[in-house]
Amino acid sequence: MTDDLAGNRNVIEMEYAVRGAIPRRAAVLRAEGRRTILCHIGNPQALGQRPITYYRQVLGLLENPGLLGRERRLKERPAQAGDIELLPDDVLETAERILAAFEGGLGAYSESNGPLLVREAVARFIDRRDGVGPGEGVPADPGRIFLTTGASEAVKYVIEVLIAGPADGIMIPIPQYPLYSAVIRRCGGAQVDYYPDEDAGWTLDRAALEDAHARAAAKGIRVKAIVVINPGNPTGAILPAASIREVLDFAAERGLAVIADEVYQENVYGGEFVSFAKVLGGRDIPLFSVHSVSKGFHGECGHRGGYVEVRNPPHLAGTDLSFTDVLYKIASVSLCPNTVGMALVYLMVTPPAAGSPSHALFARERAHVLSELEAKAKLVREAFTRMAGVECFGRIGALYLFPRLGVLPAGKTDFDYCLALLEETGLCTVNGSGFGQRPGTQHLRVAFLPPRELLAEVLPAWIDFHGRYVAAK
Amino acid sequence: MTDDLAGNRNVIEMEYAVRGAIPRRAAVLRAEGRRTILCHIGNPQALGQRPITYYRQVLGLLENPGLLGRERRLKERPAQAGDIELLPDDVLETAERILAAFEGGLGAYSESNGPLLVREAVARFIDRRDGVGPGEGVPADPGRIFLTTGASEAVKYVIEVLIAGPADGIMIPIPQYPLYSAVIRRCGGAQVDYYPDEDAGWTLDRAALEDAHARAAAKGIRVKAIVVINPGNPTGAILPAASIREVLDFAAERGLAVIADEVYQENVYGGEFVSFAKVLGGRDIPLFSVHSVSKGFHGECGHRGGYVEVRNPPHLAGTDLSFTDVLYKIASVSLCPNTVGMALVYLMVTPPAAGSPSHALFARERAHVLSELEAKAKLVREAFTRMAGVECFGRIGALYLFPRLGVLPAGKTDFDYCLALLEETGLCTVNGSGFGQRPGTQHLRVAFLPPRELLAEVLPAWIDFHGRYVAAK
């Protein structure tokens, strides 16, 4: 009785390599008892990175406010031998402040764009980051900040509003994080590829942007926006301010919105992060900038907290609505993002103040995670120098390296390489073709997240594998 | 330089009354310092309902596993005068079991469909609920259960796969929860209205379903699925098993999938809940059943936990994929639902066992919430008997009543009525037209959530308002 269903081709055909064939094969190996090392995804806590103590102490109290009163009573007792460690005062105070902002606590729907306390804290964070002050820069507006279920949801919302029909195009860098291709496909729009210059450290020049735009226009595609991922995913490269300026000039001239994926803004090991908002200044270009609790030094992926900050929201033709009005409406259909994720965004943008009881441990944990990431990135990149034909470009950022595999045996693709690497060493990476790449090139993306001891063991195995693989006929 | 943007008409034009004009006006009044009583949405904890202690004790430990060890150390100390209350043992054990199922803890991405522990617990919950046992009923399959960010996300995923183009229709009851109209609109499909019989307690008969199907077919619409909300939203009515059988017979004959919104399955005060899965038995009809932590006696809306259980997933024409393969792919683009929401789903479907340390308090809290809801529903319904021309139908379920306003003054709509009610009494409801209603009728939806003392104060004010409103010329 059940006939085949004619389903939505856009969702049937969209692809998402980060959860694609290689990771699925890794899951099978794992189920068979093989050791696998999951470097296919930026999921730090799955690879042993520990949560920031301060964040989790606060979240524990938010979930169970009964502990707040109990902790205060414990603090009032005279200490005794063998006593247990109590939560710092600023943890209790922060939890109380957050609870006051969520009317009804974490169990109630909040405003669809998130509580004002959180949006104001995000705005202050952006201003601090960008050096906005009296007479300096353009302050962020809490009314144009939307909390979301991770940055992914923010990207989906923005692209969904932008794409009005199949001739509407979104420019994305190649290689790209496949969320973008998937969402564009799902919204029935046109993906317009542009090519950062790999050999110049994945920087952007105007000619590459214009070329992509012209090719799209020749096919009747009306480009609506350009996506930039900085630091890059999958490339891991940090974009120089000059490239950001190129993008903004280009967007201004072509009348495009800019979607700036800045979720790795705290993951820079070989240069400085410069935000699109800072370079934008007072220019009237629509800018959507997304950030997340999933990356940085916190790596709280599972909590799905994120936000989008909007500058210069366009008015929507034929309506009395601005872009942010429609974003609010879309958000309201889902009622609100999860409250814990929003609380974590608040914590991310409001670190313990210097001198507060939690500050020293927080600063130590933060420095430890970031210095480990830097050391691990360098270990992996160094290993590439011992693999024939492997080259890796760009100033190191994000959680990834994206080496070019220059000398694969004839007929072999990066997919074949990654599959064989997984089978032989247990190391799970993602083939470059899953992100898109310049025709004729081969790459892979590896997340430099495993603990150093594990890297010290697996990198030699990879070097060894590589030697054999490229030597095979 | 910023021109008007030609945005996506589907999202620009979709409507969502639950966050619409009346609630927005309430927010303005609130900001002006007026007291408002928020009965426009099923958000129990915002109206003072307290979280279930057991759930929150477990969640507090999941967020801060450091407390687990500390609690064990506290338990090992000799008790002393003025000692504080410790967490029950089963709270600690449950937290440990959940942490073991989330590889990397709550801060890591989980599998995109949710951890196996949670999906297995959901399957056992469904089987228990439906009396599935040896030789009795069809067991739920953990491989066809998808954890989601609230039930809303589950509904969006399913409808998105179903709608392949503008001629694809989804049948929805009128009145309906506006998530459905919004999602159908957003996916570019056709909304096909069918009319439950209000005077017969919002039950369904075959003729009403066939009539809707025939009207759609005459317009060239190919109906793909039928949505049923039981207990009803906004109607609050509990559907009898006979109506469920009608829907399944109809779906079988017309080759439709069934989307069963069963998020209020624990909210029944005047009859028994019978699930679609139970009535379906072994019949080969595609069934998507959604549930959520937001309602029931827990009301954990802000945590955004939900799931969809799929039975008989159709094969997708022209592909080697089943419906569940595509659901998995869509879920994977968002990486995973928030882990806390999934942990809460686990707790919802795995209550403390009889005899366990937490059981007595849990059972008491549960009974208290449900008996309060029942008492409050009856208070509100009783008040309607003192309002001229107001009638309310159906066996009471969910969190809502949806009275018909029989005698509004000429030229006045239910929107006008709800706005005036808000302005005069502070009571925020939603106009029936926000949900759809049979032409020529007027309704409103009210959530019976405020504490009894508050109802005792506001209901007389409402009765008084009503008398004056309908008497006005």
Side-chain angles (χ1 to χ4, degrees):
Chain A
M1 187 229 68
T2 306
D3 292 331
D4 282 6
L5 180 87
N8 177 350
R9 304 306 305 182
N10 288 331
V11 290
I12 289 171
E13 284 163 20
M14 79 180 175
E15 287 185 11
Y16 191 66
V18 175
R19 296 279 200 180
I22 308 265
R24 279 203 303 273
R25 177 67 188 151
V28 171
L29 292 176
R30 228 171 155 74
E32 290 170 0
R34 280 277 306 278
R35 183 182 75 167
T36 55
I37 303 153
L38 301 181
C39 295
H40 65 293
I41 188 167
N43 192 11
Q45 295 191 25
L47 284 156
Q49 183 180 309
R50 298 187 50 187
I52 299 294
T53 302
Y54 173 75
Y55 293 173
R56 294 305 199 88
Q57 287 176 331
V58 175
L59 293 185
L61 295 179
L62 295 180
E63 284 295 4
N64 184 5
L67 291 177
L68 264 167
R70 204 184 79 160
E71 203 69 19
R72 294 232 184 267
R73 287 194 296 282
L74 277 169
K75 281 177 183 274
E76 283 157 12
R77 289 180 335 171
Q80 55 170 323
D83 221 349
I84 48 101
E85 206 176 323
L86 301 178
L87 296 175
D89 284 339
D90 55 345
V91 165
L92 275 61
E93 287 151 18
T94 302
E96 279 160 353
R97 186 163 62 247
I98 295 175
L99 280 173
F102 283 87
E103 209 174 338
L106 293 198
Y109 295 127
S110 74
E111 291 131 277
S112 298
N113 49 348
L116 184 61
L117 176 86
V118 181
R119 290 182 282 115
E120 283 178 342
V122 169
R124 284 194 303 270
F125 161 80
I126 292 169
D127 291 349
R128 265 193 327 270
R129 180 195 70 192
D130 292 347
V132 173
E136 197 64 55
V138 179
D141 176 353
R144 292 178 175 174
I145 290 167
F146 293 76
L147 277 294
T148 51
T149 302
S152 305
E153 187 177 71
V155 166
K156 276 186 273 183
Y157 286 177
V158 170
I159 291 182
E160 186 171 5
V161 180
L162 284 168
I163 295 181
D168 282 355
I170 308 285
M171 285 177 63
I172 61 175
I174 297 298
Q176 54 110 23
Y177 177 52
L179 168 70
Y180 294 96
S181 50
V183 171
I184 294 167
R185 175 80 213 213
R186 197 165 161 188
C187 294
Q191 170 181 328
V192 176
D193 298 344
Y194 70 88
Y195 292 88
D197 186 343
E198 178 172 15
D199 295 84
W202 299 106
T203 55
L204 297 175
D205 66 41
R206 186 65 179 268
L209 302 177
E210 293 291 353
D211 176 57
H213 194 276
R215 276 183 291 111
K219 284 190 271 184
I221 294 166
R222 180 178 45 175
V223 177
K224 305 282 272 288
I226 177 168
V227 172
V228 184
I229 311 172
N230 177 43
N233 180 2
T235 66
I238 304 167
L239 216 55
S243 287
I244 295 172
R245 230 169 280 120
E246 286 283 19
V247 170
L248 291 173
D249 289 346
F250 168 72
E253 205 155 306
R254 297 293 178 184
L256 310 184
V258 175
I259 299 172
D261 180 337
E262 303 181 320
V263 302
Y264 297 98
Q265 58 189 266
E266 312 213 49
N267 299 102
V268 289
Y269 321 103
E272 191 200 359
F273 168 75
V274 182
S275 76
F276 268 81
K278 180 169 182 149
V279 180
L280 178 72
R283 297 176 74 181
D284 183 25
I285 302 164
L287 172 65
F288 303 90
S289 162
V290 302
H291 193 20
S292 155
V293 301
S294 299
K295 313 301 173 186
F297 55 92
H298 14 76
E300 290 282 4
C301 303
H303 280 96
R304 319 303 294 117
Y307 70 79
V308 55
E309 190 226 348
V310 186
R311 300 201 173 211
N312 310 310
H315 181 261
L316 292 170
T319 75
D320 56 358
L321 301 169
S322 87
F323 203 103
T324 44
D325 294 330
V326 179
L327 282 184
Y328 189 88
K329 194 167 59 164
I330 297 183
S332 74
V333 174
S334 301
L335 296 162
C336 71
N338 85 81
T339 49
V340 188
M342 294 193 283
L344 206 40
V345 169
Y346 176 81
L347 293 170
M348 172 179 80
V349 299
T350 318
S356 68
S358 296
H359 181 262
L361 177 62
F362 173 83
R364 207 157 60 235
E365 290 178 338
R366 178 194 151 123
H368 174 72
V369 171
L370 291 175
S371 69
E372 280 299 302
L373 285 172
E374 177 161 7
K376 294 188 287 190
K378 287 181 176 158
L379 275 177
V380 178
R381 193 147 165 169
E382 210 272 320
F384 295 154
T385 64
R386 282 177 278 159
M387 298 182 195
V390 172
E391 287 180 285
C392 194
F393 300 89
R395 300 183 298 163
I396 305 176
L399 305 172
Y400 314 108
L401 292 167
F402 193 69
R404 187 161 69 198
L405 307 172
V407 290
L408 296 191
K412 294 292 188 187
T413 64
D414 48 22
F415 179 85
D416 303 322
Y417 180 95
C418 291
L419 195 57
L421 177 64
L422 170 67
E423 300 280 354
E424 288 204 25
T425 67
L427 190 66
C428 183
T429 59
V430 182
N431 46 302
S433 47
F435 304 95
Q437 53 197 346
R438 202 178 272 280
T441 65
Q442 314 270 2
H443 297 78
L444 62 75
R445 186 185 81 167
V446 57
F448 43 79
L449 291 169
R452 280 207 255 184
E453 319 78 77
L454 187 52
L455 282 181
E457 188 188 331
V458 78
L459 289 176
W462 184 358
I463 293 167
D464 186 53
F465 160 83
H466 184 84
R468 281 180 285 112
Y469 194 88
V470 301
K473 296 294 157 203
Chain B
M1 186 231 65
T2 306
D3 292 330
D4 281 7
L5 181 86
N8 177 350
R9 303 306 304 182
N10 288 331
V11 291
I12 290 171
E13 284 163 21
M14 78 179 176
E15 287 185 11
Y16 192 67
V18 175
R19 297 278 200 182
I22 308 265
R24 280 204 302 273
R25 176 67 187 149
V28 171
L29 292 176
R30 228 172 155 74
E32 290 170 359
R34 281 277 306 278
R35 183 182 75 167
T36 55
I37 303 154
L38 301 181
C39 295
H40 65 292
I41 188 167
N43 193 10
Q45 295 192 26
L47 284 156
Q49 183 180 307
R50 298 187 48 186
I52 298 294
T53 302
Y54 173 75
Y55 293 173
R56 295 304 199 86
Q57 287 176 331
V58 174
L59 293 185
L61 295 179
L62 295 180
E63 285 295 3
N64 184 4
L67 290 177
L68 263 167
R70 204 184 78 160
E71 203 70 17
R72 293 231 185 268
R73 287 193 296 281
L74 277 169
K75 280 177 183 274
E76 283 158 13
R77 291 181 333 168
Q80 56 170 323
D83 220 349
I84 48 100
E85 205 177 323
L86 301 179
L87 296 174
D89 284 339
D90 56 344
V91 165
L92 276 61
E93 287 151 17
T94 302
E96 280 161 352
R97 187 164 62 248
I98 295 174
L99 280 173
F102 282 87
E103 208 173 338
L106 294 197
Y109 295 127
S110 74
E111 291 132 276
S112 299
N113 50 348
L116 185 60
L117 176 86
V118 182
R119 290 182 284 113
E120 284 179 340
V122 169
R124 284 193 303 271
F125 161 80
I126 292 169
D127 292 349
R128 266 195 325 271
R129 180 195 70 192
D130 292 346
V132 173
E136 196 67 54
V138 180
D141 176 353
R144 292 177 174 174
I145 290 167
F146 293 77
L147 277 293
T148 52
T149 302
S152 304
E153 186 176 71
V155 166
K156 275 186 273 182
Y157 286 177
V158 171
I159 291 181
E160 186 171 6
V161 181
L162 284 168
I163 294 180
D168 282 355
I170 309 284
M171 286 177 62
I172 62 175
I174 296 298
Q176 54 108 24
Y177 177 51
L179 168 70
Y180 293 96
S181 49
V183 171
I184 294 167
R185 175 81 213 213
R186 196 165 161 187
C187 295
Q191 171 181 327
V192 176
D193 298 343
Y194 71 88
Y195 291 88
D197 186 345
E198 179 172 14
D199 296 84
W202 299 107
T203 55
L204 297 176
D205 66 41
R206 185 65 180 267
L209 303 177
E210 292 292 354
D211 177 56
H213 194 277
R215 275 183 291 112
K219 285 189 269 184
I221 294 167
R222 179 178 46 177
V223 177
K224 304 283 271 289
I226 177 168
V227 173
V228 184
I229 311 172
N230 177 42
N233 181 3
T235 66
I238 304 167
L239 216 54
S243 287
I244 295 172
R245 229 170 279 119
E246 286 282 20
V247 170
L248 290 173
D249 290 346
F250 168 72
E253 205 156 305
R254 297 293 178 185
L256 310 184
V258 175
I259 299 171
D261 180 337
E262 302 181 320
V263 301
Y264 297 99
Q265 58 189 265
E266 312 213 50
N267 298 102
V268 289
Y269 321 103
E272 192 200 0
F273 168 76
V274 181
S275 77
F276 268 81
K278 182 171 180 147
V279 179
L280 179 71
R283 297 176 74 182
D284 183 24
I285 303 164
L287 172 65
F288 302 90
S289 162
V290 302
H291 193 20
S292 155
V293 301
S294 299
K295 312 301 173 185
F297 55 91
H298 13 77
E300 289 282 4
C301 303
H303 280 96
R304 319 303 293 118
Y307 70 79
V308 56
E309 189 226 349
V310 186
R311 300 202 174 209
N312 310 310
H315 180 261
L316 291 170
T319 75
D320 56 357
L321 301 170
S322 87
F323 204 104
T324 44
D325 294 330
V326 179
L327 282 184
Y328 188 88
K329 194 167 58 165
I330 297 184
S332 74
V333 174
S334 301
L335 296 162
C336 71
N338 85 81
T339 49
V340 188
M342 294 194 283
L344 206 40
V345 169
Y346 176 81
L347 293 170
M348 172 179 80
V349 300
T350 318
S356 68
S358 295
H359 181 263
L361 177 62
F362 173 82
R364 206 157 60 236
E365 289 179 339
R366 177 194 152 122
H368 174 73
V369 171
L370 291 174
S371 69
E372 280 299 301
L373 286 171
E374 177 161 8
K376 294 188 287 190
K378 287 181 176 160
L379 275 177
V380 178
R381 192 146 164 169
E382 211 271 321
F384 295 154
T385 64
R386 282 178 276 159
M387 298 182 195
V390 172
E391 287 180 287
C392 194
F393 299 89
R395 299 181 301 163
I396 305 176
L399 304 173
Y400 314 108
L401 292 167
F402 193 69
R404 188 161 68 198
L405 308 172
V407 290
L408 297 191
K412 293 292 188 188
T413 64
D414 48 22
F415 179 86
D416 302 323
Y417 180 96
C418 291
L419 194 58
L421 177 64
L422 169 67
E423 300 281 354
E424 288 205 23
T425 67
L427 189 66
C428 183
T429 60
V430 182
N431 46 301
S433 47
F435 304 95
Q437 54 197 346
R438 202 179 272 280
T441 65
Q442 313 270 1
H443 297 79
L444 62 76
R445 186 185 80 168
V446 57
F448 43 79
L449 290 169
R452 280 207 255 185
E453 318 79 76
L454 188 50
L455 283 181
E457 189 188 330
V458 78
L459 289 175
W462 185 357
I463 293 167
D464 185 54
F465 160 82
H466 184 84
R468 280 180 284 113
Y469 194 87
V470 301
K473 297 293 156 200

